[in-house]
Amino acid sequence: MPVRQREKPFGFPKPETPHGEIVILEERCKGCGFCIEYCPHDVLVLSKKFNAKGYHPPEVVKAELCVDCGFCRMICPEFAIYTYELKTGEKP
Amino acid sequence: MPVRQREKPFGFPKPETPHGEIVILEERCKGCGFCIEYCPHDVLVLSKKFNAKGYHPPEVVKAELCVDCGFCRMICPEFAIYTYELKTGEKP
Amino acid sequence: MKADPKGVLTGSHYIDGDHACCEGALASGCRFVGGYPITPSTEVVERFARRAPMVEGAHFIQMEDELAASIAIQGAVWAGKKAMTVTSGPGFSLMMEHIGLAVMTETPCVFVDVQRGGPSTGLPTLPGQADMMQARWGSHGDYEIIALSPNSPQECFDLTIDAFNLSEQYRVPVMFMMDECVGHMMERVVIPPADRIEITPRRYTALPPGEYLPFKPGPDMIPEMFKAGDGYRLHITGLTHDFKGYPAMNPEVQEQLVRRLVDKIRLSEPKIRRYEEDGVEDADVVVVTYGITSRVAVEAIEAARKRGIKVGMLRLVVVWPFPEPRIFELACRGKAFVMAEMNYGQIFYEVERSVRGRAPVVLAGHGGGTVHNIDDIVKKIEEAHRCLS
Amino acid sequence: MKADPKGVLTGSHYIDGDHACCEGALASGCRFVGGYPITPSTEVVERFARRAPMVEGAHFIQMEDELAASIAIQGAVWAGKKAMTVTSGPGFSLMMEHIGLAVMTETPCVFVDVQRGGPSTGLPTLPGQADMMQARWGSHGDYEIIALSPNSPQECFDLTIDAFNLSEQYRVPVMFMMDECVGHMMERVVIPPADRIEITPRRYTALPPGEYLPFKPGPDMIPEMFKAGDGYRLHITGLTHDFKGYPAMNPEVQEQLVRRLVDKIRLSEPKIRRYEEDGVEDADVVVVTYGITSRVAVEAIEAARKRGIKVGMLRLVVVWPFPEPRIFELACRGKAFVMAEMNYGQIFYEVERSVRGRAPVVLAGHGGGTVHNIDDIVKKIEEAHRCLS
Amino acid sequence: MAKTEIKIGGFGGQGVILTGYIIGKAASIFDGKNATMTQAFGPEARGSACSAQVIVAADAILYPYVKRPQIMVIMSQEAFTKFSPQLDPNGMILIEEELVDPKGLPPTVKVFGIPATRIAEELGRKIVLNIVMAGFFTAVTGIVSKDAMRKAIESSVPKGTEGLNLLAFEKGYEYGLGKVQAQ
Amino acid sequence: MAKTEIKIGGFGGQGVILTGYIIGKAASIFDGKNATMTQAFGPEARGSACSAQVIVAADAILYPYVKRPQIMVIMSQEAFTKFSPQLDPNGMILIEEELVDPKGLPPTVKVFGIPATRIAEELGRKIVLNIVMAGFFTAVTGIVSKDAMRKAIESSVPKGTEGLNLLAFEKGYEYGLGKVQAQ
Amino acid sequence: MSVLSELQKASLSPTPDFHPENHPMDDFLRMDRMPHIWCSTCGIGVSVNCFAKALEKCQIPLDQVVVVSGIGCTGRVAGYVKVDSFHTTHGRAIPFATGMKLANPKLKVIVFSGDGDIIAIGGNHFINAARRNIDITVICVNNFNYAMTGGQLASTTPEGSVLSTSPFGSYEFPFNLPFLAESVGAVYVARWTSLHVYNQTVSMVEALKKPGFSFIEVIAPCPTIFERQQKMGDGLDRLRWYCENSDIRNGASTKDVDIRLRDRMVVGKFVDVERPTYLEAMNAHYRERLGSKYKDYEG
Amino acid sequence: MSVLSELQKASLSPTPDFHPENHPMDDFLRMDRMPHIWCSTCGIGVSVNCFAKALEKCQIPLDQVVVVSGIGCTGRVAGYVKVDSFHTTHGRAIPFATGMKLANPKLKVIVFSGDGDIIAIGGNHFINAARRNIDITVICVNNFNYAMTGGQLASTTPEGSVLSTSPFGSYEFPFNLPFLAESVGAVYVARWTSLHVYNQTVSMVEALKKPGFSFIEVIAPCPTIFERQQKMGDGLDRLRWYCENSDIRNGASTKDVDIRLRDRMVVGKFVDVERPTYLEAMNAHYRERLGSKYKDYEG
Ligand SMILES: Cc1ncc(C[n+]2csc(CCOP(=O)(O)OP(=O)(O)O)c2C)c(N)n1
Ligand SMILES: Cc1ncc(C[n+]2csc(CCOP(=O)(O)OP(=O)(O)O)c2C)c(N)n1
Ligand code: SF4
Ligand code: SF4
Ligand code: SF4
Ligand code: SF4
Ligand code: SF4
Ligand code: SF4
Ligand SMILES: [Mg+2]
Ligand SMILES: [Mg+2]
């Protein structure tokens, strides 16, 4: 895989400090992998499990690194993932 | 009437030396006056007479000045006028 | 509902059918015209273009082609306006796809076709009546429309109002089938005061968002309407759709939807029906006709009467749906028919069908370019009369 | 004339109706297709696009829309090619103006319409038979065309050749009315050797420039043709035109020209006529049908026969011009009719008209989306049978 | 009065159509009769029409075109050549006498001439020649009332030109009266 | 043999349509029977069809669609759920046994399973699972001849892949023979 | 790029009626029609997502928003967004939208459709609406082919692409859409790929706010057809390709931004100019010509 | 400008069968249809004259020349030129010509029609034929209106023009045709007025000789409608106006050549670039892809 040029070509902003909580609506997912590939902090990986449609939804592996940048949400063609800001120390 | 800017805006070539004989097909003419207005040597004028369609065809007044430049022919929307080159001294 | 006085040019006017049609549209509340020039219909939009800036809420736009004109009006209708487009044969042909869209989405709107000689570019400045079957069958798929045919500038005014009203009543595109002769002929046109003009308002739903289903038919088979911007946030599609308006591509929904689209007009034929009869009751021969030809036919009928033939006339005002039951009834009473129209047989076939073999039907037709020669109709009346004996 | 072997893919193939239609076109000498994709017709042009580079002189172009496709082929025809365009309902609606042009200029060409469910976008991937009247009446002005309807991939091949041949014979656009079911169904298609395929050559004039008049009818009412580039330097127009091809906008020339355009087909109906009958002679009920429905109807007929009703079938191969005389003849012999078609009554009206009240006619119709339910046809057969008693 | 068929011909720019329109309007709106006006169009519609036809009748008018005009108003020689054969042999023809030479008419036809262009020019606007002609028509034919014609003109010509046009009308009308009395 | 109705179901990418096509072609072109194949399309035509229907008969086939299949070839659970209720209770069903759990069938139905995907994978190209299935179908149903199927495959798969495909066919065929003999 | 950082901040925090099983944009979608028909790794859904976000950012009441589509995979967008939405005929979304906008200028009208729809069959409407500067936003998902009908050549297909009607590769030259749009007077023209979700969203916000004819071209993967036929992998592979091969050049001359099948691709905001809209021009014109007789047209 | 001086020299001398009552171009005209319908001082006839001359210059055998028109005053050109000539439907001359040219590439196909025809209703065909670089020459007589139908607003009508559907003056922006043509890939683009007869002719010669889609816009008076409605006098007055107000700027950037009703106007040859034609590209492409199996398509 080529070197990722995240900052430049598609110009999303510098990660900020907030910490994000990730919600994955697994049944909607079509396993495209967009969110996984382009999360700037590699928070997500492809899970092994299948959803009812037969796709592998993403799985959160480094929850603590999520900065609530929203990229995963924006790039998901299925409206299947989103994040929201967690106040420091908060756990939903 | 404004000063004529013949050479420039519509860029027709410098008159050359040959002498032209003018043929006017009066019955075709719709008296637009284009040939008269734009003959570089003012060879033509509007005649007083009417053709069958009720238009005044042009009339040659300074035959000797015609240089067979062909402009009158080219601008006539009715294919009603043309010229041809006369060898020096020739009269058709 | 009464007409909005803003659009009504009350008074007596000496104008042609095209201009009268425009005034009829304005009187009936039409506030959007999407047009594309074509002889002999252009005067309709030319007048609208001139009148629009002075009539509040009215807008005219000349679109880039007839495809655009015939769908721009549908956008305007769903935004809340009453709207029409205006054309002649070649442009009408280009509008066929969008007539189908209006049928499928039940968009009330009016298509004016000022008929000239065809086919193709044909006779652009001369009259024809050969788009009558096209008005009924020109788009793909099964459907029904309503078509009216005026025979004078006055009727161009009056019937344009009816066209808009029927369109709103049945949520169906209405074809207003003029012809060059009626369109370009000047006569006195009397425009009544606004409060004497009856207008059918759009059948907007009173149900709140959430309860309202945009394609659920009412008791008369017709669903109520909404408009964009009113908070319903609904979907309209030319695909086969269910009550919600959602695409549902299966034979069952197709049957439910398209059968209703067809039946809402077919079953209402007795209510939509409109024709004028003269001397039909004791006639031996009935001349069926419409539009400008109906005026010429009257002279032919008078001539034939002078020759001792009992002739009556049935003039179709509403041509589609066709008053098949009435024709059949007359046929059963032993009358012969002459169909007088400016074509080589269009509504003629409907008459032939409707008589069910009970009566001879003779066509007095020609290719257009001018109105009938009176003698030609008289000859056909005689021919039909001979068939009776 | 025999087919050019270059275009003939002799052999047995397992292909669908769309592909077979393409092969039929190639076999009949079609060397130009102007297309625009639309389900369920696209496979015809896809195949042509793939085949063209290997068949000398063949060219495929995908135009920017159906308007363009339907006139590009006419340009190609006047440059000497045999040509067709291919579409489905919505695209067919857009082609209506150019069908009129082809009629008026007597341009031989083929319009393939693979019918789907309508109106409007309707049911894009499901079958319909509701463009049949449109094929006849969809353009403005009066005219006649020829329309064929195949009921299997094999016929998609065979009848496409007939379509081209008729088109050349009569100098008229021919409508090839397939449907989604036939278009997408795979069956064995046997393509004979080229020397067993009969091709009608274009009827080019043998007269030299100067003597030849491009619209002077021959003895069969059909003028001979020329092509661009052959030195005739002639003019072709969609305006009403005289023998020279010059615009002549008056009722007399209109009558001469358009009546001939209509009559050259109407009067040739006995020659163009093509239908298949099965068990009609001693039947009480005749099922009239065409296209895919004719196959379903056979099963219904068998079922009805089992119930003791004498049923026959008349399958229209050529739908337009309609074989009115034959229907009338059968009606006179006391038979009842069931019209089985995938719509709410189109050719049904023609049958109704043709029987002239001599026979009951029952419609077995539905809105499309799938073929008929066999029982539904059987019920209609029973209904028709009851009418007889 | 049964039905009077009128045909007006001339060349483009003479206001032929407007003349027909004014006559039709006068008869139908202000005289309470019926009047149907039609015009001939050239190819498509470039305003090249050069003849107008008006039918005036007390009863409803059915057939829309003029078949055999009883009255012709002719303003150019070309129009004369083209249209005069259609004239009812017992009809009358009104001509712009300086532009039209009415040769070859049956002797039964009544001919009335007026130098309308010259009169119009004298009024300063050649363009009103058709209104002069309309005045002449009113006086000579009596088909429409003078009052109706004046109203029709007033309501049909561009704002600001009513005075001039009514003057032109009166000139033509007077000229016509003179002619009629002379006969 | 009267008429045999066959339905093939699976998910996109399994080559469902090609399987149907090969069976139809084998029967109609190489076995001299008649065979009509149709397929279900999704919205418009994006190749999302996931079922193919084949009717095989000695006589002419009229009604084009499968009404009550006697044979089903099912390669996904979704397809099983959707289509199996249509199966003739006296029919047979061929399944990709690692992908389909054939629950709820009437006891009269004959079920034949094959791990077609695994066999295909063993051949190095998962994509030939449908050809494995076709071999299995040939052996189990006997509707088409082996020879015809081989010819149909040879003339339908991309050039250069004939060998692999025929191998896959044979694997499926052998597996099928074994199953049949076992019963 | 202030909108961008704003966008960033808008990343939401849970509200009192927070239901984790719903997506914050569910309100904007017709959930009763989900799942949508778009294939896995197709780019259309991404643009719908961006569009939802952009609408939220613009704070235009959804009741006033209208989405108009033609026919095609992208044409299905109108069916999924829960605003008043119209799925018209193939190629004619723009004139429908024109009629709608002019009939009620208070509506915010967006045309969302495919390349074939907007610029092949619909080309004439595109150029004329831009010329008139009708106040609508056109979002064109350019997947270089007619996807819905199974993948044919489009007016935007890069030379050399294999499609069902160009089975040996296409030899037609495609349109350079930004150049075309600029030449006919669009006041706002941008191009992004499906990967450029922030930029896409920012452009949508800018376009929605800008009076006049704004145009956004989104280069999107159609893995089922286009990428498969070109052997370019799936949509994810294609996003990776976009990532490596697209150069953001805001303000680039539109003349220079044509697309070749395997060359680097220029994206960015290319045009952002001021010009009175059709209705502004009309009202100004009538006010001047007709004076006080004229009341401004407001629908 | 060598063609120009050539043109000059071509001024003819009497041939043995010289009949002074015939015009040297009579052979090129359908004399049995004369007089044509065009009004006095209309510019259309001037362009036909130039076209006749250009054809003569190119020495293309007239038997191979085809003129295709749509519907309109200019659309009547096809009816008067004595070559194979096709008067098609409104707006569709270009696709007809496309079919003809592709069916027989030996033909020299010229589309001669009006602005409304070619770029209002026919806009989609114009842009797509240019994009494909179909080898035809399009001569568009731009009289700023739909003349044949009595003078309505067109897509080329300069703002402020009074026409029957813009009775108080138009408020739409017109197309800048050279800019549009360039943006979609026309290989040759020039604009002249009816007064520029030599330049027009030279451009026609160049366009006819140039393989690919060439486009010539001729600004022409329509005295009967356009000039009359704008109170600009007759065609002669308008020629005088052109004379004073047009600047020849060959090679001007097409972006800068838009036309305003009463402003100076730029004329000239703006674009002259090389690009393989549709058929050249196709043949090259197939040769490469299909190798010796492929025989060049020649009609
Ligand atoms: C008049 C008409 N012609 C053709 C079609 C068939 N059709 C449906 S969608 C489509 C093309 C869609 O392409 P595009 O707009 O690029 O959308 P995509 O599917 O690629 O998103 C076509 C040709 C149609 N529905 N109507
Ligand atoms: C489908 C269709 N729509 C409209 C018309 C009417 N029509 C004929 S010519 C014309 C416009 C001609 O304008 P242009 O091309 O500029 O030619 P001009 O007359 O100005 O030379 C129109 C709209 C038609 N013939 N066909
Ligand atoms: S919001 Fe999404 S993309 Fe951003 S860091 Fe968190 S998981 Fe990764
Ligand atoms: S972007 Fe959405 S659909 Fe794609 S893998 Fe992530 S959650 Fe699933
Ligand atoms: S050729 Fe014509 S324009 Fe030239 S000088 Fe002679 S008369 Fe004048
Ligand atoms: S240019 Fe021709 S038509 Fe005009 S005045 Fe001269 S000869 Fe007559
Ligand atoms: S076919 Fe292509 S454009 Fe359509 S939904 Fe699938 S991937 Fe997307
Ligand atoms: S109307 Fe205009 S364009 Fe037509 S011929 Fe007359 S002057 Fe020329
Ligand atoms: Mg696309
Ligand atoms: Mg023009």
Side-chain angles (χ1 to χ4, degrees), chain A residues 1-38 46 53 55 67-87 90 92, chain G residues 4-5 7-14 18-26 28-29 31 35-46 48-50 52-53 56 192 194-199 201 221 234-236 239-248 264 267:
Chain A
M1 221 200 72
V3 181
R4 295 198 189 162
Q5 302 176 307
R6 285 195 190 109
E7 245 60 353
K8 273 301 196 34
F10 44 100
F12 66 73
K14 285 244 157 48
E16 293 189 5
T17 38
H19 180 66
E21 181 68 21
I22 305 154
V23 182
I24 300 170
L25 305 169
E26 293 186 354
E27 287 312 315
R28 296 187 183 184
C29 173
K30 284 191 190 153
C32 65
F34 291 178
C35 58
I36 300 165
E37 176 85 8
Y38 292 101
L46 206 70
K53 284 184 210 153
Y55 294 109
V67 294
D68 191 28
C69 70
F71 198 85
C72 54
R73 170 195 167 183
M74 294 284 289
I75 205 161
C76 175
E78 309 292 329
F79 292 81
I81 186 170
Y82 69 96
T83 58
Y84 56 90
E85 192 179 335
L86 271 192
K87 303 285 161 273
E90 192 185 351
Chain G
L4 216 161
S5 52
L7 268 179
Q8 176 66 2
K9 270 184 247 121
S11 167
L12 32 111
S13 28
F18 172 68
H19 297 293
E21 71 278 17
N22 294 339
H23 188 279
M25 285 292 127
D26 282 3
F28 171 72
L29 297 174
M31 291 312 296
H36 56 61
I37 62 161
W38 299 309
C39 310
S40 174
T41 79
C42 171
I44 299 171
V46 177
V48 176
N49 200 332
C50 296
K53 188 76 190 169
E56 189 186 75
W192 301 104
S194 294
L195 180 63
H196 297 85
V197 288
Y198 277 106
N199 316 67
T201 310
D234 66 9
L236 182 54
L239 256 51
R240 289 177 184 133
W241 188 92
Y242 296 156
C243 183
E244 287 161 55
N245 292 285
S246 45
D247 301 315
I248 299 185
R264 298 189 66 78
V267 298

Side-chain angles (χ1 to χ4, degrees), chain F residues 80-154:
Chain F
F80 180 83
T81 314
K82 193 165 164 198
F83 301 128
S84 64
Q86 300 163 12
L87 184 64
D88 185 329
N90 299 312
M92 65 168 81
I93 185 164
L94 281 61
I95 56 171
E96 174 7 308
E97 67 183 20
E98 297 191 352
L99 296 177
V100 179
D101 173 9
K103 46 192 174 206
L105 288 171
T108 44
V109 166
K110 292 205 203 80
V111 182
F112 296 90
I114 178 173
T117 314
R118 194 167 40 72
I119 295 175
E121 275 168 354
E122 280 163 14
L123 292 172
R125 293 287 305 274
K126 191 174 151 183
I127 197 173
V128 296
L129 93 120
N130 60 333
I131 305 295
V132 174
M133 213 70 199
F136 186 61
F137 170 90
T138 310
V140 172
T141 68
I143 290 291
V144 279
S145 72
K146 186 178 172 190
D147 193 47
M149 283 296 278
R150 287 185 57 97
K151 284 191 193 139
I153 290 166
E154 259 185 303

Side-chain angles (χ1 to χ4, degrees), chain C residues 89 93 118 120-123 130-131 134 137-138 140-142 238 240 254-255 266 343-344 346 349 352-353 356-357 367, chain D residues 89-90 93 118 120-122 130-131 134 137-138 140-142 238 240 254-255 259 266 343-344 346 349 352-353 356-357 367:
Chain C
S93 286
S120 199
T121 313
L123 300 173
D131 308 349
Q134 183 188 28
W137 296 108
H140 62 282
D142 246 333
T240 298
Q254 172 78 357
E255 182 71 12
R266 286 196 188 165
N343 57 49
Y344 294 111
Q346 296 206 359
Y349 289 126
E352 263 207 334
R353 189 172 66 78
R356 291 179 156 49
Chain D
S93 286
S120 198
T121 314
D131 309 348
Q134 182 188 28
W137 296 109
H140 61 283
D142 245 334
T240 298
Q254 171 80 355
E255 182 72 11
R259 186 176 285 280
R266 286 193 189 165
N343 57 50
Y344 294 111
Q346 296 204 359
Y349 289 126
E352 262 206 335
R353 188 171 68 77
R356 293 181 154 49

Side-chain angles (χ1 to χ4, degrees), chain D residues 244-281:
Chain D
K244 271 189 173 174
Y246 288 177
M249 271 91 86
N250 60 62
E252 295 72 34
V253 177
Q254 171 80 355
E255 182 72 11
Q256 183 190 67
L257 173 65
V258 183
R259 186 176 285 280
R260 180 174 64 75
L261 295 179
V262 165
D263 281 350
K264 73 175 179 181
I265 304 301
R266 286 193 189 165
L267 302 180
S268 304
E269 188 277 321
K271 273 183 283 170
I272 303 169
R273 184 185 301 173
R274 187 149 152 215
Y275 49 79
E276 284 175 9
E277 292 186 347
D278 172 48
V280 161
E281 290 307 317

Side-chain angles (χ1 to χ4, degrees), chain E residues 2 62 73 105 117:
Chain E
L62 297 165
V73 181
L105 288 171
T117 314

Side-chain angles (χ1 to χ4, degrees), chain H residues 74 114-116 141-147:
Chain H
T74 317
D115 52 314
V141 174
N142 183 357
N143 52 20
F144 302 142
N145 82 112
Y146 292 147

Side-chain angles (χ1 to χ4, degrees), chain F residues 24-80:
Chain F
K25 186 172 188 176
S28 110
I29 305 289
F30 301 110
D31 270 350
K33 297 180 181 171
N34 290 303
T36 299
M37 191 199 114
T38 53
Q39 52 188 297
F41 282 85
E44 299 263 339
R46 299 172 309 144
S48 56
C50 59
S51 83
Q53 317 177 45
V54 190
I55 306 173
V56 178
D59 300 333
I61 295 162
L62 297 165
Y63 192 88
Y65 299 133
V66 157
K67 283 177 278 193
R68 189 159 261 308
Q70 290 97 38
I71 303 176
M72 268 194 187
V73 181
I74 297 293
M75 301 191 252
S76 81
Q77 192 62 36
E78 210 186 322
F80 180 83

